[in-house]
Amino acid sequence: MTKRKVYGDTDCLSSFLLLDEVSLLESILDEIVIPKAVYQELRANGTPLQIVENLENLKEKKFIRVHDMDVHSAEYQWYDEIRIEYQMNRGFPIGEGEAQAMALAIPNGGILASNNLSDIKYFVDKYRLPLLTSAYMIADSVDKGQISYEEAELTWQQMERNRILMPGSFEDYYQGQYLKDFKEYGKRLGF
């Protein structure tokens, strides 16, 4: 567990909420702060009931805290800058959840929890943001003895079936990409 705040994005958080893997999240982290946009995305029409119920349960337990950005705050200025820079670089807008989560993590020295590397990688690299992905959290949990290798493989398969994680096996990730992710992002985590 870490003393640094973790700011969550929809894709990463929903991967655990959908599969009832909330106890795994609770064993890894002290708390997750989510921007209001992420909260709204997780509660949008069409969201599976399991996600909404797990979200509300974790919110009630104060494991998930929803943060509403004040338009006059420094965080909101970061949010605006991220949106503008992304639009200029990519030619289309960034998702509200990703932008708000990064706008909270950057000025607060926090950790970003997101799986959406295509949208966030530029900013993660630019600001040397510590990054947690669902895949990284599963592998790190195995290393710390919080779950077995077999449990990790089952969780991975469920996430893959629900198109939450990249295709392949946990073993493929654990034996290859995990070390690369640690070298690139994991060293910044501090836990």
Side-chain angles (χ1 to χ4, degrees), residues 38-185:
V38 168
Y39 182 71
Q40 291 169 334
E41 288 172 7
L42 289 169
R43 292 198 45 91
N45 286 337
T47 299
L49 184 59
Q50 193 163 340
I51 289 177
V52 176
E53 287 175 349
N54 283 326
L55 171 69
E56 292 305 322
N57 181 35
L58 290 176
K59 186 176 171 225
E60 187 176 302
K61 290 168 65 175
K62 298 190 184 333
F63 178 75
I64 289 179
R65 188 169 52 85
V66 180
H67 183 86
D68 192 6
M69 270 190 256
D70 182 295
V71 294
H72 302 292
S73 68
E75 296 159 344
Y76 193 86
Q77 290 176 337
W78 277 100
Y79 165 68
D80 225 19
E81 288 177 30
I82 289 167
R83 288 184 326 153
I84 291 167
E85 189 169 356
Y86 187 90
Q87 176 78 38
M88 285 177 34
N89 289 341
R90 302 286 294 271
F92 53 90
I94 188 170
E96 293 292 310
E98 289 93 357
Q100 285 187 17
M102 287 187 290
L104 293 173
I106 293 168
N108 292 308
I111 297 168
L112 179 65
S114 179
N115 293 343
N116 194 350
L117 292 177
S118 64
D119 284 350
I120 64 166
K121 185 164 178 10
Y122 169 80
F123 296 103
V124 166
D125 291 344
K126 180 177 180 177
Y127 296 107
R128 304 216 18 90
L129 266 176
L131 176 66
L132 283 173
T133 62
S134 298
Y136 191 90
M137 284 191 266
I138 294 168
D140 190 58
S141 295
V142 169
D143 283 352
K144 291 181 177 168
Q146 293 165 319
I147 61 171
S148 69
Y149 197 90
E150 292 75 24
E151 290 171 306
E153 187 65 60
L154 286 173
T155 299
W156 188 280
Q157 289 171 9
Q158 289 177 315
M159 287 183 179
E160 183 185 23
R161 262 194 307 276
N162 286 286
R163 298 173 189 225
I164 297 168
L165 288 177
M166 63 186 139
S169 67
F170 172 70
E171 182 176 2
D172 293 341
Y173 176 78
Y174 192 73
Q175 300 300 329
Q177 188 63 41
Y178 178 48
L179 181 59
K180 293 175 188 171
D181 286 351
F182 175 77
K183 287 178 179 175
E184 193 166 352
Y185 312 114

